[in-house]
Amino acid sequence: MNISTKGRYGLYFMNVLAIEYGVRKRSVKSIANERGVSDLYLEQIVACLRRANLVKSTRGAYGGYELNYPPDEITVLDVFKAVGENIVAIELDDKDTKNERFLWRRIRDGISDVIAHTTLYDLISQPDEFDDYMFYI
């Protein structure tokens, strides 16, 4: 399963805003610098999040971006949909058997369920116990 940079950076941006929820607003530039990505690219992603009504912006000296809803009301699926992320767990093959297709569907459904039911609050409230980027079975 691969998640594009749009999905990753969009989720990172939303996580930062979730951590800062109700405390302060953040600029795209400051978050882009933290993550080490282009602020122009992140701005394109944020525009998608804004169109989906997940974030709002305020202009001025104390302006910036903030979540439009509490972190427990925004799911990973909401973020991925907003930025056009399409996660494919397994590509089907014409030679897959009925049994294999059953397994691939179960894997797809499991991933979909996790994404649909994991909120930003769930993500920011987890202890920082993982230090690997890749998880292997």
Side-chain angles (χ1 to χ4, degrees), residues 10-66:
L11 191 57
Y12 179 81
F13 184 83
M14 295 296 283
N15 272 318
V16 170
L17 296 186
I19 291 167
E20 306 277 341
Y21 184 72
V23 178
R24 68 178 177 147
K25 298 171 183 134
R26 295 291 303 271
S27 71
V28 171
K29 189 171 191 105
S30 70
I31 295 173
N33 287 338
E34 278 178 18
R35 183 69 179 198
V37 301
S38 160
D39 57 325
L40 297 175
Y41 183 50
L42 187 57
E43 185 63 57
Q44 292 174 6
I45 295 167
V46 172
C48 296
L49 297 168
R50 195 173 45 240
R51 277 192 299 275
N53 202 32
L54 296 178
V55 298
K56 59 186 172 186
S57 64
T58 307
R59 293 180 172 223
Y62 299 102
Y65 283 91
E66 61 186 322

Side-chain angles (χ1 to χ4, degrees), residues 22-118:
V23 178
R24 68 178 177 147
K25 298 171 183 134
R26 295 291 303 271
S27 71
V28 171
K29 189 171 191 105
S30 70
I31 295 173
N33 287 338
E34 278 178 18
R35 183 69 179 198
V37 301
S38 160
D39 57 325
L40 297 175
Y41 183 50
L42 187 57
E43 185 63 57
Q44 292 174 6
I45 295 167
V46 172
C48 296
L49 297 168
R50 195 173 45 240
R51 277 192 299 275
N53 202 32
L54 296 178
V55 298
K56 59 186 172 186
S57 64
T58 307
R59 293 180 172 223
Y62 299 102
Y65 283 91
E66 61 186 322
L67 296 179
N68 219 13
Y69 306 98
D72 63 342
E73 293 181 17
I74 301 172
T75 66
V76 173
L77 179 62
D78 295 330
V79 176
F80 284 173
K81 276 184 171 179
V83 300
E85 182 65 56
N86 186 18
I87 297 174
V88 177
I90 297 169
E91 295 280 342
L92 293 179
D93 186 306
D94 291 341
K95 296 176 185 168
D96 288 340
T97 66
K98 179 181 171 185
N99 294 340
E100 290 170 319
R101 286 179 182 263
F102 170 77
L103 177 61
W104 306 154
R105 261 193 304 280
R106 289 195 65 202
I107 291 170
R108 179 204 59 207
D109 293 349
I111 291 170
S112 296
D113 185 59
V114 168
I115 292 169
H117 293 99
T118 301

